[in-house]
Amino acid sequence: MAEKVWFITGASRGFGREWAVAALERGDRVAATARDTSSLADLVDRFGDRVLPLQLDVTDREADFGAVSEAVNTFGRLDVVVNNAGYGQFGLIEELSEKEVRDQFETNTFGALWVTQAALPFLREQGSGHIIQVSSIGGISAFQNIGIYNASKWALEGYSQALAQEVAPFGVKVTLVEPGGFDTDWSGASAKHATPLPAYEHLRERIAESRRSRVSTPGDPAASAEALLRIVDAEEPPLRVFFGTAPFGIMKADYDSRIAEWEKWQDVSALAQGGSESGDPA
């Protein structure tokens, strides 16, 4: 397998860290970003100039373009761009402040978009490349107390599906990785929490129990690295892939319910059509 050059955001911990190590261990080169590059010092000590530590806050569009350019200038190309930086914003919809909502989208949605836009000119010019968008089972379903996180990932899913169609003629591939519950600090140190409203207090234990049942057996982030390597090495990688065993069942129940409801209300859908022959949503 030919050596690959990676650009990974949020490489200081969690998935980003494990995937950077896996890529480096097999001889690839990695531009690894973090808000604090001291968290990447041990990777530099271990792998030398095959790792390029870059200080980056992905919400800064200009900095995103600069970091991607620096990676290309250092390594000469890009093969795999991993938009992993993100966090979970907890809070019921009514509880969220404007700042909390905007900050969630700035990181999870816009941060990935800016890095993607920065990388695309290089990928198009070389006629190859693979963009990995780290989404979530929460990007295709939705759960109480993380509704705005769901919204940020649904947006990522939407523009990434369109992107995949737009860049396919240039030889560039796009994959949405949709993890279930994993043993990372996503719901721990890296999470943010809205100020709770007393009106919802009686619901909190039920919501917490529902979450515990969804992630009763968390996945191993280290094991996910082998799965990711298989995806980036595939000649025809998937547009979407679940990480973990739980997401498929969650998705199937959710989509079965959606289809049943859409079918039940199809007469109303037809009523809304009226006499128009145009059904183009655009």
Side-chain angles (χ1 to χ4, degrees), residues 58-60 101-112 114:
V58 297
T59 66
D60 184 337
V101 172
R102 292 186 181 277
D103 286 350
Q104 180 77 123
F105 274 84
E106 287 291 345
T107 298
N108 292 6
T109 308
F110 292 112
W114 307 148

Side-chain angles (χ1 to χ4, degrees), residues 261-279:
E261 189 165 61
W262 282 324
E263 288 179 336
K264 178 181 178 180
W265 289 89
Q266 185 58 23
D267 60 333
V268 174
S269 302
L271 177 64
Q273 179 72 25
S276 171
E277 295 182 357
S278 173

Side-chain angles (χ1 to χ4, degrees), residues 186-200:
W186 177 83
S187 61
S190 67
K192 297 185 179 181
H193 298 264
T195 301
L197 290 173
Y200 292 97

Side-chain angles (χ1 to χ4, degrees), residues 14-282:
F15 287 129
R17 174 78 174 198
E18 297 295 345
W19 298 347
V21 170
L24 291 162
E25 284 182 338
R26 73 173 194 167
D28 290 349
R29 291 178 288 173
V30 176
T33 84
R35 287 176 177 263
D36 179 3
T37 54
S38 66
S39 63
L40 305 173
D42 61 317
L43 296 184
V44 176
D45 291 341
R46 181 178 173 188
F47 297 104
D49 61 7
R50 286 196 294 112
V51 59
L52 173 66
L54 296 169
Q55 191 281 325
L56 183 64
D57 175 351
V58 297
T59 66
D60 184 337
R61 188 173 188 269
E62 184 177 353
D64 290 331
F65 276 72
V68 170
S69 293
E70 185 173 350
V72 174
N73 291 338
T74 300
F75 293 136
R77 62 180 292 115
L78 283 179
D79 298 297
V80 184
V81 177
V82 181
N83 281 309
N84 169 68
Y87 68 93
Q89 173 66 59
F90 286 75
L92 303 173
I93 296 301
E94 188 182 353
E95 295 173 338
L96 297 161
S97 70
E98 179 181 354
K99 185 177 188 306
E100 287 167 332
V101 172
R102 292 186 181 277
D103 286 350
Q104 180 77 123
F105 274 84
E106 287 291 345
T107 298
N108 292 6
T109 308
F110 292 112
L113 177 58
W114 307 148
V115 171
T116 297
Q117 289 183 332
L120 280 172
F122 300 107
L123 303 185
R124 284 191 292 100
E125 183 177 357
Q126 68 192 27
S128 65
H130 196 170
I131 298 171
I132 305 292
Q133 309 283 45
V134 181
S135 181
S136 167
I137 178 58
I140 60 171
S141 192
F143 310 100
Q144 296 176 84
N145 205 40
I146 54 169
I148 211 62
Y149 171 80
N150 296 144
S152 72
K153 293 299 187 180
W154 280 46
L156 175 67
E157 293 264 346
Y159 73 67
S160 296
Q161 182 168 337
L163 172 69
Q165 300 168 62
E166 295 166 356
V167 300
F170 299 98
V172 178
K173 300 176 174 64
V174 177
T175 295
L176 285 150
V177 172
E178 299 159 329
F182 271 75
D183 190 15
T184 68
D185 68 353
W186 177 83
S187 61
S190 67
K192 297 185 179 181
H193 298 264
T195 301
L197 290 173
Y200 292 97
E201 198 58 42
H202 67 291
L203 298 177
R204 296 193 192 282
E205 181 52 39
R206 180 170 61 80
I207 293 171
E209 179 57 35
S210 176
R211 172 168 170 73
R212 286 192 291 268
S213 68
R214 291 198 308 273
V215 294
S216 58
T217 308
D220 179 2
S224 73
E226 183 177 352
L228 187 72
L229 292 178
R230 185 174 298 187
I231 290 166
V232 301
D233 291 340
E235 290 189 13
E236 296 183 8
L239 171 60
R240 287 182 170 86
V241 61
F242 292 132
F243 271 20
T245 56
F248 184 83
I250 294 171
M251 173 280 299
K252 190 173 187 307
D254 198 344
Y255 274 70
D256 285 349
S257 174
R258 293 187 196 187
I259 291 169
E261 189 165 61
W262 282 324
E263 288 179 336
K264 178 181 178 180
W265 289 89
Q266 185 58 23
D267 60 333
V268 174
S269 302
L271 177 64
Q273 179 72 25
S276 171
E277 295 182 357
S278 173
D280 185 353

